Amino acid sequence: MKAAIVSTLLYISTCQRVLSFTLEPSRSQSKIATELNSESENSRRLFLSSSYSVLGLAGITTAFPREAWGSGGATAGKYTTIPIAKRRYYGRVEEAVHEFLLMGNDVVKGDMKAESIQLFFDVKGVVIVPAKKGSINGQCTKKDCKGKEIRDSRYNDMKTSMYLLGNAFRYNQQKAPDNLPTVKAAKAFFKEMDAMEKAVVKKPKKDDKVSVGHYAAALEILEPYLDLVELPPIESGHYDKEFDTRVGASSRIT
């Protein structure tokens, strides 16, 4: 292992000497310079490839950025890195998980009329986008200077943020979103919770064992999803607090 690392370091030194070598601008020298540049480029690629291999064998996590491709939704037609997706959606997913777990005690009791359960599915229960003032330098430019906030249920926002975060965990643009393990886990979770939402919103019952079953199944699916998107497990205690859902509020960008 040490020999491999030393070999890599020597490779760096060789590349640096080749790149720093300067030739006079004659025709033959220009040809040589072109060949050296080509060799240097090949050497650089070989060095990067060997570096990944050496560091991987040594069990070291590289600092090179991992790029993920986004498709659909807010990321249509753009590159989306995993760190950027984390800054955008971590807070929203974490807060949603916090509220999802918070209603667990009422779900266990079987009372689907409980406030925590009804609020989780209430389409007017949460401010998703705060109202923005329409004034510029203190001057009102619109009829309604206060603006208008956008409200929705915590569950609907959970579905959106879980899907977009999961879709960012890709390493090429070939695989369709529905084939990603993260998206598959998210959709399996949605399937159980959609069934629970349908029963809870339309005709909530006090002893609804079916809805309890859907919640339990969703809880079991949520654990592997969190692991796939590099979030702490449910039992870690991480979700005992409230989270800031604003974009970039989370300092975790790696």
Side-chain angles (χ1 to χ4, degrees):
M1 181 60 63
K2 289 183 179 180
I5 296 175
V6 170
S7 176
T8 301
L9 293 175
L10 288 175
Y11 222 102
I12 297 175
S13 179
T14 302
C15 291
Q16 288 176 339
R17 286 200 299 272
V18 171
L19 289 172
S20 62
F21 189 81
T22 306
L23 298 172
E24 292 297 326
S26 67
R27 180 177 299 180
S28 60
Q29 289 171 335
S30 177
K31 181 178 180 181
I32 295 173
T34 301
E35 292 176 352
L36 284 174
N37 287 334
S38 178
E39 182 181 351
S40 174
E41 178 63 20
N42 292 333
S43 298
R44 185 183 69 83
R45 291 175 180 173
L46 182 59
F47 159 68
L48 289 174
S49 178
S50 61
S51 297
Y52 276 120
S53 300
V54 171
L55 292 172
L57 290 172
I60 301 173
T61 302
T62 66
F64 299 114
R66 297 180 301 170
E67 191 149 56
W69 299 73
S71 67
T75 60
K78 300 179 181 179
Y79 290 107
T80 301
T81 60
I82 291 176
I84 289 176
K86 289 179 178 180
R87 287 180 62 85
R88 285 178 178 171
Y89 309 119
Y90 256 12
R92 289 166 64 183
V93 172
E94 287 170 318
E95 177 59 24
V97 174
H98 165 70
E99 294 187 26
F100 172 80
L101 297 175
L102 201 63
M103 67 177 182
N105 291 332
D106 289 326
V107 173
V108 171
K109 296 175 184 177
D111 185 5
M112 298 302 130
K113 295 182 179 180
E115 183 180 355
S116 63
I117 299 175
Q118 289 297 314
L119 180 61
F120 187 77
F121 294 107
D122 185 359
V123 293
K124 295 183 179 180
V126 179
V127 176
I128 304 300
V129 180
K132 294 182 179 180
K133 293 183 178 180
S135 59
I136 299 177
N137 296 327
Q139 298 296 320
C140 184
T141 60
K142 297 181 180 180
K143 291 182 179 180
D144 185 6
C145 285
K146 294 182 180 180
K148 188 176 181 181
E149 63 185 15
I150 298 176
R151 305 183 73 90
D152 204 344
S153 69
R154 178 58 67 193
Y155 175 54
N156 283 341
D157 187 61
M158 185 181 196
K159 288 200 290 185
T160 301
S161 54
M162 280 181 65
Y163 178 85
L164 292 174
L165 177 62
N167 189 37
F169 277 76
R170 57 170 63 241
Y171 299 97
N172 60 68
Q173 60 180 349
Q174 305 302 322
K175 186 172 286 189
D178 288 350
N179 293 331
L180 296 172
T182 48
V183 174
K184 285 182 178 180
K187 286 197 169 184
F189 176 84
F190 302 155
K191 182 179 180 180
E192 297 295 338
M193 290 304 294
D194 284 348
M196 179 181 177
E197 178 186 32
K198 186 177 181 180
V200 167
V201 173
K202 287 188 175 182
K203 294 181 179 181
K205 302 177 183 178
K206 285 192 174 182
D207 187 20
D208 190 348
K209 294 181 180 179
V210 175
S211 293
V212 173
H214 287 306
Y215 180 89
L219 182 63
E220 187 175 350
I221 297 168
L222 184 60
E223 188 72 61
Y225 171 84
L226 295 175
D227 181 60
L228 288 169
V229 297
E230 301 175 3
L231 278 170
I234 292 173
E235 296 181 357
S236 65
H238 177 73
Y239 306 100
D240 293 345
K241 60 183 179 182
E242 294 183 353
F243 293 88
D244 193 334
T245 59
R246 292 174 301 171
V247 174
S250 172
S251 61
R252 292 188 61 181
I253 59 172
T254 59

